[in-house]
Structure formats: C-alpha cells, structure tokens
Amino acid sequence: MTADFQIEPDAKPGHFHLLGALDLYHTHEAKLMLKKMVSGSSDPVIINVSGLTKLDTVGALLLRQLQEKHKIKIQHLKSEHTELFNLVAKAEIARPVIIPHVPAWRRGLNGLGKQTVMAYQAAIQFTAFLGQVCVTLSKSVFSRKAMRFPDIMHHIEETGIEAIPIIGTMAFMIAVVLAYQGIAQLRPLGVENLTVNLVAISVLREMGVLLTAIMVAGRSGSAFTAQIGVMKVREEVDALQVIGINPFEVLVMPRLIALVITLPLLAFLADMMGLFGGGVMSWLLINIPPGAYMERVRSVASGNDFLVGMIKAPVFAFLIAMVGCMHGMKVSGSAESVGRETTASVVKSIFLVLAADALFSILFEKMGI
C-alpha cells in the first residue's frame, strides 16, 4: 500500500511541505487539498516536495498545472523525480475541444446541403470533362496519328477479350436464376411455358446489357481510374504535358473508344448466353426442346427488342469510360486518393448506368418500341 498524501504548513507564511505519495491513487484527494491550500493563502506559495515518497506522471502533471496557473514555486525536488517533472513540463497538453451539441434536424440539413453542393460540383466537373473529351475526339477523328490504334487495340483486348469468360458466365447464371424463378411462380397458374417469353424479353431488352454494363463498370471502369491515378501519383501525366503530349489523347481517348467498341460486343455475348441459359432451364424443367425453344423466342422477341439493348450499350460504355478516366485524372498524388477515386468511379458509373437505363425505358415506351 502507498503512503497517504499530506500537506503540512511551514513556519513561514505561504510555505508548505508535501508528504507521502502524490500518485494516481491520491490524485483526487491531493487536487482538492492543493487547490484549498493555494486559494487560502494570501502570500506567494512555495511548496517543498522533498517529503514526497512517490511521484508518478499524474502527480507531476498536477504540480505542473498548479505551477502554471497559480505561479507557485516548487523546491527541493528529489533527483529521482526531477526527470519526470521536467518531461511533463515539456509536454504540450491541449485542452479537450468541447463540441457543441447540434440538434439532429440541423445535422440532417447540414448533411443534405453538403451533398447537394458536392453533387453540383460533380455535375460541373463531369460537364467540363465531357467538353474536353468531345473537343479531343473531334480532333482525333481527322488525325489518323492521334487515334493511336495500337493503344486502342490493347484496351480492346484488356476490356473485351479478357472479360469474355466472366461476362458469359454471369449472363448464363442470371438467365438460369431468372428462368428457375419464373417457372416456380408461373407453374401454379399452369402457364410455365410463358417463362420463355419472360427470359427472352428481359434478357434482350434489359438484363443482358444492364448487367454487362455494371460488370464492366466494376472491372474496366475501376481499372481505368487506378491506371491513370497511379500515373498521376508517379507524375507521369505531368511529364506528358511537359514534353508537349496531350494526356487526353494518350490516356483517355484510347480507353473511351475501346470500351465503346467492346461493350456492345460483350452485351451481344451476354444476350446469347442468357438465351442459352434460359433454354437449358426450359429443357430441363418444362421439357421444351431446343428447337421449340428457339421458335418460341423468335415468335415472342422482335428485332426491336434486340436493338433496344444494343442502342443502350455504347451509351453505357461512354459513361463508364468517361467517369473512370475523369476520376483517374482527379487523383491528387497519394495511394489513399487512388483508392478513394476508384471507389467513387465505380459507384458513379453504376449510378449513371442505372439512371440512363431508366431514361431509355421511358423514351422507348413513349416511342412505342
């Protein structure tokens, strides 16, 4: 057990002796006694601490605070306590910041305002980037050298050919699930044969191109952001500008053109694999042979259904490539920034794809397609 803390007055006015242990276990008691001692003395206070048997960091901090606040003098500090006291004296201890309470409704309004301003700024940045892309694209159309066909072919391979396995598998599995659920819901009504209609229309008009675009946004759009972002971190983009090369021609245009070419092809692949998956499930669960399945698909799905999906594909590709490259150019020079912009790129790309798909649905419905 540690000795109790005590304060004894000296014969001289304003002089006091500290005895016992000034540590964590006696801090509260010592703080009250010391404040009472200081406030009750009209003379300058001088404290003799030679009688302390124990002094820890909390006790040394208490003495230091009294010394600064009340201008007291501390005398006869033991050698084993001197180093600790000096260490505490050098430490800069900031006062805790008291955050005022903000009502929940005000916090909600503040958050809404911040999100609105951020959305407005993002729209301005997207519009400015779109304008720069359009200007660069118009120049590239009339300059064969500016098209950079080797770079375009490289990105076609990267975003298209290498994505065939995952896109094909995804489309097949989605169609399997769609057909299975359709059969399960329509069988009690005795119209399970209408599952073919469900699969054919939904895959050709919506599911094939939409899921392909979402997959490409997560795979290729994020890759665009990360690749350009790393180049920004390494200052390679600045180096291109220094030597007189437009970064948009080298980094943005090949990726954008390549994705506009590959996404419709991947969407076509997804349509075929989706119809194949629906045919497999129809054959296995409701005994519709492949020949009859294909005849049914041709009778229920028109060329307009296929064209609707294909028209959407290049628009989705343009949005994904635009957002991916834009966020890559926004990287500010750190690995954290690369990760943050990559995440934002995927989220915004998927959001824009879904918003564009909704607008296309309304447009085609008004046009009667």
Side-chain angles (χ1 to χ4, degrees):
M1 295 291 293
T2 59
D4 292 337
F5 175 77
Q6 297 178 10
I7 299 178
E8 291 185 357
D10 200 346
K12 297 179 181 179
H15 287 61
F16 298 90
H17 288 271
L18 302 188
L19 305 174
L22 183 55
D23 58 7
L24 179 63
Y25 300 101
H26 302 90
T27 301
H28 181 67
E29 175 190 359
K31 188 175 183 179
L32 295 177
M33 295 171 66
L34 287 169
K35 284 187 175 182
K36 184 178 180 182
M37 173 198 72
V38 172
S39 60
S41 176
S42 58
D43 300 311
V45 177
I46 299 175
I47 298 178
N48 187 332
V49 295
S50 61
L52 289 179
T53 58
K54 185 177 181 181
L55 181 69
D56 64 2
T57 305
V58 179
L61 182 59
L62 177 60
L63 290 177
R64 178 62 180 170
Q65 289 174 344
L66 288 172
Q67 187 182 45
E68 290 183 348
K69 187 175 182 181
H70 300 284
K71 306 302 181 182
I72 66 174
K73 294 182 180 181
I74 298 175
Q75 296 180 342
H76 307 297
L77 195 65
K78 292 182 179 180
S79 58
E80 60 266 26
H81 298 156
T82 302
E83 186 175 352
L84 176 61
F85 187 80
N86 293 335
L87 182 64
V88 170
K90 295 177 182 178
E92 296 181 2
I93 302 175
R95 292 181 177 271
V97 178
I98 301 176
I99 302 176
H101 174 71
V102 180
W105 65 269
R106 182 174 294 179
R107 292 198 303 269
L109 286 179
N110 290 340
L112 179 61
K114 290 180 180 178
Q115 293 298 323
T116 303
V117 171
M118 291 173 61
Y120 174 72
Q121 292 175 345
I124 292 177
Q125 292 172 355
F126 183 84
T127 304
F129 195 86
L130 175 61
Q132 196 165 359
V133 167
C134 292
V135 170
T136 307
L137 182 61
S138 62
K139 293 179 180 179
S140 300
V141 169
F142 299 102
S143 175
R144 184 174 180 180
K145 183 179 179 180
M147 288 299 288
R148 298 184 179 274
F149 289 103
D151 291 342
I152 294 174
M153 295 306 298
H154 168 73
H155 291 298
I156 287 176
E157 179 183 2
E158 191 178 60
T159 62
I161 297 175
E162 294 180 4
I164 287 176
I166 185 64
I167 296 297
T169 304
M170 177 272 301
F172 178 83
M173 298 304 297
I174 289 296
V176 166
V177 172
L178 188 63
Y180 184 84
Q181 294 298 326
I183 292 171
Q185 298 301 317
L186 296 175
R187 178 168 282 166
L189 303 176
V191 290
E192 61 267 27
N193 289 342
L194 293 180
T195 302
V196 179
N197 304 44
L198 172 67
V199 173
I201 300 299
S202 60
V203 167
L204 292 176
R205 292 184 68 95
E206 294 290 341
M207 301 302 291
V209 64
L210 182 61
L211 292 176
T212 300
I214 292 174
M215 185 70 71
V216 169
R219 182 183 179 277
S220 300
S222 61
F224 290 171
T225 304
Q227 291 166 358
I228 298 176
V230 170
M231 294 184 69
K232 287 275 289 184
V233 171
R234 295 177 178 175
E235 299 182 351
E236 296 177 25
V237 177
D238 296 334
L240 289 174
Q241 292 176 330
V242 168
I243 62 178
I245 297 178
N246 186 354
F248 270 73
E249 293 182 0
V250 179
L251 302 178
V252 176
M253 300 313 302
R255 288 174 169 83
L256 191 148
I257 295 172
L259 199 61
V260 169
I261 294 173
T262 57
L263 187 53
L265 299 178
L266 291 174
F268 176 78
L269 171 68
D271 289 347
M272 297 303 103
M273 292 300 296
L275 294 177
F276 176 65
V280 171
M281 294 303 294
S282 299
W283 190 13
L284 294 178
L285 297 182
I286 53 179
N287 298 319
I288 297 180
Y293 174 80
M294 291 305 300
E295 286 295 329
R296 186 68 175 270
V297 168
R298 280 195 290 266
S299 64
V300 300
S302 65
N304 286 338
D305 296 320
F306 175 73
L307 289 177
V308 163
M310 290 297 102
I311 291 171
K312 296 177 183 179
V315 178
F316 292 168
F318 185 83
L319 293 175
I320 293 169
M322 273 276 300
V323 173
C325 295
M326 181 184 71
H327 281 278
M329 288 293 190
K330 287 175 61 178
V331 171
S332 58
S334 66
E336 181 182 2
S337 178
V338 174
R340 182 173 60 251
E341 296 298 337
T342 302
T343 302
S345 166
V346 175
V347 173
K348 288 184 180 179
S349 297
I350 294 176
F351 173 79
L352 288 176
V353 164
L354 294 175
D357 186 64
L359 292 176
F360 271 121
S361 297
I362 297 173
L363 176 63
F364 290 139
E365 192 274 333
K366 294 297 183 180
M367 295 174 61
I369 300 178

